Amino acid sequence: GITFKIHTGKKKFPVLIDSQQIRQAALNILQNAVEAVQMKDSKKGEIDILVDINGEGGEIFIAVTDSGPGLPKGENPLHLAE
């Protein structure tokens, strides 16, 4: 099974965002994380999601980490996000 952990900052804040775009982006990221975790031979996996305000500018910071095998050696993670 896969364990999801969601961590949020202590501040609550309103956000003006396109709900369809954020829903699709979140779905894609989480689907990638689930697939990565399932690639491992272990029976357990973890996906951690962090949502917080980044600095004084009011920008939202979202980080997703998983216990998958990671990128192959030499793979540029920035290239994957393009």
PDB file of all heavy atoms in Angstrom, residues 11 13 51-62:
ATOM      1  N   LYS A  11      -0.312  28.895   8.660  1.00  0.00           N
ATOM      2  CA  LYS A  11      -1.125  29.985   8.134  1.00  0.00           C
ATOM      3  C   LYS A  11      -2.141  29.459   7.139  1.00  0.00           C
ATOM      4  O   LYS A  11      -1.845  28.605   6.330  1.00  0.00           O
ATOM      5  CB  LYS A  11      -0.241  31.015   7.427  1.00  0.00           C
ATOM      6  CG  LYS A  11       0.724  31.730   8.322  1.00  0.00           C
ATOM      7  CD  LYS A  11       1.542  32.723   7.506  1.00  0.00           C
ATOM      8  CE  LYS A  11       2.584  33.389   8.360  1.00  0.00           C
ATOM      9  NZ  LYS A  11       3.410  34.313   7.560  1.00  0.00           N
ATOM     10  N   PHE A  13      -4.682  30.688   4.048  1.00  0.00           N
ATOM     11  CA  PHE A  13      -4.647  31.806   3.125  1.00  0.00           C
ATOM     12  C   PHE A  13      -5.573  31.549   1.949  1.00  0.00           C
ATOM     13  O   PHE A  13      -5.699  30.425   1.481  1.00  0.00           O
ATOM     14  CB  PHE A  13      -3.220  32.047   2.639  1.00  0.00           C
ATOM     15  CG  PHE A  13      -2.518  30.768   2.237  1.00  0.00           C
ATOM     16  CD1 PHE A  13      -2.618  30.280   0.953  1.00  0.00           C
ATOM     17  CD2 PHE A  13      -1.784  30.052   3.172  1.00  0.00           C
ATOM     18  CE1 PHE A  13      -1.982  29.103   0.597  1.00  0.00           C
ATOM     19  CE2 PHE A  13      -1.137  28.873   2.811  1.00  0.00           C
ATOM     20  CZ  PHE A  13      -1.243  28.395   1.522  1.00  0.00           C
ATOM     21  N   VAL A  51       2.427  21.876   1.516  1.00  0.00           N
ATOM     22  CA  VAL A  51       1.833  23.091   0.971  1.00  0.00           C
ATOM     23  C   VAL A  51       2.039  24.196   1.996  1.00  0.00           C
ATOM     24  O   VAL A  51       1.674  24.052   3.157  1.00  0.00           O
ATOM     25  CB  VAL A  51       0.315  22.913   0.700  1.00  0.00           C
ATOM     26  CG1 VAL A  51      -0.277  24.189   0.123  1.00  0.00           C
ATOM     27  CG2 VAL A  51       0.062  21.731  -0.218  1.00  0.00           C
ATOM     28  N   ASP A  52       2.643  25.305   1.549  1.00  0.00           N
ATOM     29  CA  ASP A  52       2.903  26.408   2.477  1.00  0.00           C
ATOM     30  C   ASP A  52       3.058  27.704   1.697  1.00  0.00           C
ATOM     31  O   ASP A  52       3.136  27.707   0.475  1.00  0.00           O
ATOM     32  CB  ASP A  52       4.178  26.123   3.282  1.00  0.00           C
ATOM     33  CG  ASP A  52       4.190  26.816   4.637  1.00  0.00           C
ATOM     34  OD1 ASP A  52       3.316  27.671   4.885  1.00  0.00           O
ATOM     35  OD2 ASP A  52       5.078  26.516   5.441  1.00  0.00           O
ATOM     36  N   ILE A  53       3.121  28.809   2.427  1.00  0.00           N
ATOM     37  CA  ILE A  53       3.405  30.109   1.835  1.00  0.00           C
ATOM     38  C   ILE A  53       4.910  30.253   1.756  1.00  0.00           C
ATOM     39  O   ILE A  53       5.622  29.975   2.719  1.00  0.00           O
ATOM     40  CB  ILE A  53       2.799  31.254   2.667  1.00  0.00           C
ATOM     41  CG1 ILE A  53       1.280  31.181   2.623  1.00  0.00           C
ATOM     42  CG2 ILE A  53       3.280  32.595   2.149  1.00  0.00           C
ATOM     43  CD1 ILE A  53       0.600  32.228   3.472  1.00  0.00           C
ATOM     44  N   ASN A  54       5.398  30.676   0.602  1.00  0.00           N
ATOM     45  CA  ASN A  54       6.831  30.838   0.379  1.00  0.00           C
ATOM     46  C   ASN A  54       7.193  32.313   0.505  1.00  0.00           C
ATOM     47  O   ASN A  54       6.979  33.081  -0.416  1.00  0.00           O
ATOM     48  CB  ASN A  54       7.199  30.294  -1.008  1.00  0.00           C
ATOM     49  CG  ASN A  54       8.685  30.245  -1.237  1.00  0.00           C
ATOM     50  OD1 ASN A  54       9.469  30.354  -0.312  1.00  0.00           O
ATOM     51  ND2 ASN A  54       9.068  30.077  -2.482  1.00  0.00           N
ATOM     52  N   GLY A  55       7.720  32.690   1.651  1.00  0.00           N
ATOM     53  CA  GLY A  55       8.195  34.060   1.845  1.00  0.00           C
ATOM     54  C   GLY A  55       7.070  35.053   2.050  1.00  0.00           C
ATOM     55  O   GLY A  55       5.919  34.710   2.264  1.00  0.00           O
ATOM     56  N   GLU A  56       7.437  36.327   1.959  1.00  0.00           N
ATOM     57  CA  GLU A  56       6.493  37.415   2.219  1.00  0.00           C
ATOM     58  C   GLU A  56       5.657  37.780   0.995  1.00  0.00           C
ATOM     59  O   GLU A  56       4.730  38.537   1.094  1.00  0.00           O
ATOM     60  CB  GLU A  56       7.270  38.654   2.696  1.00  0.00           C
ATOM     61  CG  GLU A  56       7.985  38.452   4.026  1.00  0.00           C
ATOM     62  CD  GLU A  56       7.013  38.190   5.158  1.00  0.00           C
ATOM     63  OE1 GLU A  56       5.936  38.830   5.191  1.00  0.00           O
ATOM     64  OE2 GLU A  56       7.327  37.342   6.010  1.00  0.00           O
ATOM     65  N   GLY A  57       6.024  37.261  -0.165  1.00  0.00           N
ATOM     66  CA  GLY A  57       5.321  37.621  -1.396  1.00  0.00           C
ATOM     67  C   GLY A  57       3.973  36.948  -1.556  1.00  0.00           C
ATOM     68  O   GLY A  57       3.251  37.210  -2.498  1.00  0.00           O
ATOM     69  N   GLY A  58       3.628  36.050  -0.657  1.00  0.00           N
ATOM     70  CA  GLY A  58       2.351  35.371  -0.742  1.00  0.00           C
ATOM     71  C   GLY A  58       2.314  34.263  -1.774  1.00  0.00           C
ATOM     72  O   GLY A  58       1.246  33.785  -2.118  1.00  0.00           O
ATOM     73  N   GLU A  59       3.481  33.860  -2.259  1.00  0.00           N
ATOM     74  CA  GLU A  59       3.526  32.772  -3.226  1.00  0.00           C
ATOM     75  C   GLU A  59       3.289  31.450  -2.514  1.00  0.00           C
ATOM     76  O   GLU A  59       3.666  31.263  -1.366  1.00  0.00           O
ATOM     77  CB  GLU A  59       4.892  32.741  -3.919  1.00  0.00           C
ATOM     78  CG  GLU A  59       5.188  34.003  -4.690  1.00  0.00           C
ATOM     79  CD  GLU A  59       6.644  34.104  -5.074  1.00  0.00           C
ATOM     80  OE1 GLU A  59       7.486  33.486  -4.400  1.00  0.00           O
ATOM     81  OE2 GLU A  59       6.938  34.803  -6.044  1.00  0.00           O
ATOM     82  N   ILE A  60       2.674  30.529  -3.213  1.00  0.00           N
ATOM     83  CA  ILE A  60       2.406  29.217  -2.644  1.00  0.00           C
ATOM     84  C   ILE A  60       3.535  28.272  -3.027  1.00  0.00           C
ATOM     85  O   ILE A  60       3.983  28.246  -4.171  1.00  0.00           O
ATOM     86  CB  ILE A  60       1.068  28.662  -3.144  1.00  0.00           C
ATOM     87  CG1 ILE A  60      -0.053  29.571  -2.690  1.00  0.00           C
ATOM     88  CG2 ILE A  60       0.847  27.244  -2.649  1.00  0.00           C
ATOM     89  CD1 ILE A  60      -1.378  29.206  -3.275  1.00  0.00           C
ATOM     90  N   PHE A  61       3.985  27.509  -2.064  1.00  0.00           N
ATOM     91  CA  PHE A  61       5.041  26.522  -2.261  1.00  0.00           C
ATOM     92  C   PHE A  61       4.415  25.146  -2.121  1.00  0.00           C
ATOM     93  O   PHE A  61       3.784  24.848  -1.115  1.00  0.00           O
ATOM     94  CB  PHE A  61       6.132  26.730  -1.206  1.00  0.00           C
ATOM     95  CG  PHE A  61       7.220  25.712  -1.257  1.00  0.00           C
ATOM     96  CD1 PHE A  61       8.239  25.804  -2.181  1.00  0.00           C
ATOM     97  CD2 PHE A  61       7.227  24.643  -0.369  1.00  0.00           C
ATOM     98  CE1 PHE A  61       9.245  24.867  -2.226  1.00  0.00           C
ATOM     99  CE2 PHE A  61       8.228  23.695  -0.403  1.00  0.00           C
ATOM    100  CZ  PHE A  61       9.240  23.813  -1.333  1.00  0.00           C
ATOM    101  N   ILE A  62       4.550  24.322  -3.154  1.00  0.00           N
ATOM    102  CA  ILE A  62       4.036  22.956  -3.110  1.00  0.00           C
ATOM    103  C   ILE A  62       5.184  22.013  -3.452  1.00  0.00           C
ATOM    104  O   ILE A  62       5.847  22.187  -4.471  1.00  0.00           O
ATOM    105  CB  ILE A  62       2.888  22.743  -4.113  1.00  0.00           C
ATOM    106  CG1 ILE A  62       1.738  23.716  -3.820  1.00  0.00           C
ATOM    107  CG2 ILE A  62       2.397  21.303  -4.075  1.00  0.00           C
ATOM    108  CD1 ILE A  62       0.642  23.710  -4.863  1.00  0.00           C
TER     109      ILE A  62
END
